[in-house]
Amino acid sequence: MDIDARGPRFGAAVTTVVLAAVLITGSGWLLAWQTLAFALGAAGGVGRSPYGWLFRKAVRPRIGPPTEFEAPEPPRFAQAVGLAFAGLGLVGYGIGPEWLGLAATGAALAAAFLNATFGYCLGCEMYLLVRRVTVRAE
């Protein structure tokens, strides 16, 4: 079943704010929250993430029914990529080196910003590339 294309973009906007706050404050706890949000989105799909829930309950009723839909697999894969970067960031902030935390968080922030601002999902594009390569290999 396809998903409302606005949901992942809303989630990316919230993620952008959270990750920017992590870089500004250096808060490992805030990064841990974002890591959990990524983990829930990767495990259950973007609709199961806290930001997906917020979109469904608070935003979508105010903006009307969706007009564009997308397959759930690419955004779910993007959540897994975000989870990997946030996990690396936690390692960097937690046990070091600090530059790893900054770099991994910055990379996740850049990807979230691209999705939120321009609708360009790097993780989704990675998913499509992996699919093309694996289909050709079979």
Side-chain angles (χ1 to χ4, degrees):
M1 174 187 244
D2 287 347
I3 59 173
D4 184 343
R6 301 171 297 181
R9 197 162 179 186
F10 171 80
V14 176
T15 299
T16 297
V17 172
V18 171
L19 292 175
V22 169
L23 288 176
I24 291 167
T25 65
S27 172
W29 290 107
L30 194 52
L31 184 56
W33 162 255
Q34 183 58 54
T35 304
L36 175 62
F38 280 139
L40 293 170
V46 293
R48 300 262 192 257
S49 75
Y51 309 146
W53 179 86
L54 183 62
F55 175 78
R56 204 171 46 258
K57 297 295 182 184
V59 177
R60 189 170 49 200
R62 289 170 175 72
I63 61 175
T67 57
E68 286 185 57
F69 296 91
E70 67 179 307
E73 295 85 6
R76 189 172 182 177
F77 182 84
Q79 292 289 297
V81 173
L83 174 61
F85 277 94
L88 279 174
L90 277 177
V91 169
Y93 280 114
I95 60 175
E98 187 177 352
W99 64 262
L100 178 61
L102 292 168
T105 303
L109 171 60
F113 178 79
L114 283 173
N115 193 358
T117 306
F118 303 109
Y120 187 79
C121 176
L122 286 173
C124 300
E125 294 300 322
M126 287 175 56
Y127 173 84
L128 296 173
L129 180 63
V130 168
R131 291 283 299 167
R132 281 187 211 115
V133 169
T134 57
V135 168
R136 288 185 187 159
E138 292 177 356

